[in-house]
Each structure stands twice: as C-alpha cells, then as structure tokens.
C-alpha cells in the first residue's frame, strides 16, 4: 500500500535527482567549453611555434612536437568525454522520464481514490481540502527555497572543482 506521503517523498526525491543530474549536465557543458578554449589557445600556440620552426630554428622542434601531441591528446580526450556524457545524459533522461511517469500515475490513482472518498461528504471535504492545499503550498514553497539554496551551493562547489581541474590540466600541459 502506497500512501500519499510515500508518493510525495518519492516525487521529491525524483525531482531532486533530476535537478542534480541537470546541474551535472550544465557543469559538464561548462567543462567542455573550457576544454574547447584550451584547445583553441593551444592551437594558437602551435601555429606560433610552427611559424618559428619554418623560419629556420630547430632548437625548439622538440617543444613543438610535444605541444602538438598535447593538443591531439586533449582533442581525443574531449571527444571521449563528450561521447561519454552524451550517452550518460541520454540514459539519465530516459530513467528520469520513467520515474516521473510512474510517479504521476501513482499520484493520479491516489487522487482518484481520494476524490471518490470525498463524494459523500462533499462540502466538509472541500473545506478540509482547501486547508490542506494551503498547507501543501507552504511546504512546497519551503522545499523550493531549500532546493534553490542547495543548488547554489552545488554550483559554487562545481565551479571550484572545474577551476581546479583546468589548473591541473594546464600544469600537465606545461610539463
């Protein structure tokens, strides 16, 4: 037997899960954009060194070769990362849609049962339902504000982690 509270708890969990996954997707997209920026910078640097090499300097040929390898590695890594996250996003979206559909079905079944139960005592139930809805609105507004605060914290944390990852990648490329 599934109670209304169980369904609401489950629905809240699903919505939180969906928001977390969407936030993860946004973070991954920003990481991809940062990686594309790095690739562009490395491409410009490579062009500069190729011009220098063509002028006649063989001193830095090894560095140019190393930078070209790094650019190719970053490009390859970007392609693999994009494909992985594209597939992960597809799976998560399908999973979220299934969960959402199941919860909506449960909610509609419960609402139908409640509506049938209220038919006998219609006036009194309408008043109680109105009061209940007011309480539910307050609860959902509080949950909404809590979720916004947690999303803000996660965004800040993810931004920090992305910055650290980029710094590490840059250090690796410099080596």
């Amino acid at each position: 037997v599934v109670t209304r509270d169980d369904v609401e708890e489950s629905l809240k969990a699903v919505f939180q899960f969906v928001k977390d996954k969407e936030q993860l997707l946004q973070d991954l997209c920003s990481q991809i954009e940062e990686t594309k920026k790095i690739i562009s910078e490395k491409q410009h640097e490579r062009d500069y060194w190729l011009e220098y090499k063509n002028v006649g300097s063989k001193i830095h040929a090894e560095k140019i070769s190393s930078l070209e390898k790094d650019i190719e590695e970053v490009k390859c890594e970007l392609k693999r990362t994009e494909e992985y996250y594209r597939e992960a996003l597809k799976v998560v979206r399908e999973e979220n849609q299934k969960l959402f559909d199941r919860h909506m079905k449960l909610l509609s079944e419960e609402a139908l049962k409640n509506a049938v139960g209220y038919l006998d005592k219609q006036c009194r139930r309408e008043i109680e339902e109105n009061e209940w809805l007011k309480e539910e609105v307050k609860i959902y507004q509080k949950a909404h504000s809590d979720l916004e605060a947690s999303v803000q914290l996660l965004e800040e944390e993810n931004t920090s982690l992305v910055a650290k990852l980029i710094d590490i990648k840059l250090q690796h490329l410099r080596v």
Side-chain angles (χ1 to χ4, degrees):
V1 176
V2 177
T3 66
R4 180 179 200 90
D5 291 337
D6 292 338
V7 172
E8 289 175 1
E9 284 286 328
S10 179
L11 190 56
K12 286 179 185 176
V14 167
F15 285 137
Q16 181 63 38
F17 180 75
V18 169
K19 283 188 177 190
D20 290 346
K21 291 301 177 177
E22 288 177 354
Q23 181 61 39
L24 177 62
L25 175 63
Q26 289 176 352
D27 293 339
L28 294 176
C29 287
S30 68
Q31 284 180 351
I32 289 170
E33 290 300 317
E34 288 296 323
T35 305
K36 286 180 180 179
K37 252 192 218 176
I38 292 171
I39 289 172
S40 175
E41 292 170 4
K42 291 297 179 182
Q43 190 72 31
H44 290 299
E45 187 175 347
R46 184 192 73 163
D47 292 341
Y48 168 80
W49 286 112
L50 281 175
E51 182 179 328
Y52 181 74
K53 178 180 175 183
N54 291 335
V55 171
S57 175
K58 301 293 181 182
I59 299 171
H60 294 102
E62 187 175 313
K63 183 175 182 179
I64 292 170
S65 173
S66 174
L67 288 173
E68 287 174 343
K69 287 178 185 177
D70 289 344
I71 288 171
E72 290 303 315
E73 288 175 6
V74 169
K75 283 182 181 178
C76 189
E77 184 178 329
L78 174 65
K79 286 179 184 177
R80 281 186 274 132
T81 304
E82 282 179 337
E83 186 61 33
Y84 171 77
Y85 288 122
R86 191 176 297 117
E87 290 299 319
L89 174 64
K90 182 180 175 184
V91 168
V92 167
R93 282 186 176 164
E94 291 172 0
E95 196 174 87
N96 288 345
Q97 186 62 42
K98 287 178 187 176
L99 287 171
F100 182 77
D101 290 341
R102 190 178 77 202
H103 287 290
M104 290 306 292
K105 183 179 177 183
L106 288 172
L107 283 175
S108 65
E109 289 174 2
E110 185 176 331
L112 179 61
K113 289 177 187 176
N114 287 340
V116 169
Y118 293 148
L119 287 177
D120 295 337
K121 303 173 184 178
Q122 186 176 1
C123 292
R124 188 172 56 126
R125 294 292 184 192
E126 285 179 2
I127 293 171
E128 290 174 3
E129 186 175 70
N130 190 23
E131 291 298 319
W132 174 80
L133 286 174
K134 287 179 184 177
E135 291 294 326
E136 288 297 315
V137 167
K138 289 179 186 176
I139 290 169
Y140 284 140
Q141 286 174 342
K142 184 183 182 321
H144 182 302
S145 63
D146 291 344
L147 288 174
E148 284 182 338
S150 66
V151 165
Q152 179 66 28
L153 290 174
L154 286 173
E155 286 176 347
E156 292 171 7
E157 180 180 280
N158 285 337
T159 303
S160 170
L161 291 174
V162 167
K164 287 181 184 177
L165 178 64
I166 290 171
D167 289 341
I168 290 171
K169 286 286 186 179
L170 287 175
Q171 287 177 348
H172 176 70
L173 289 175
R174 287 181 188 142
V175 169

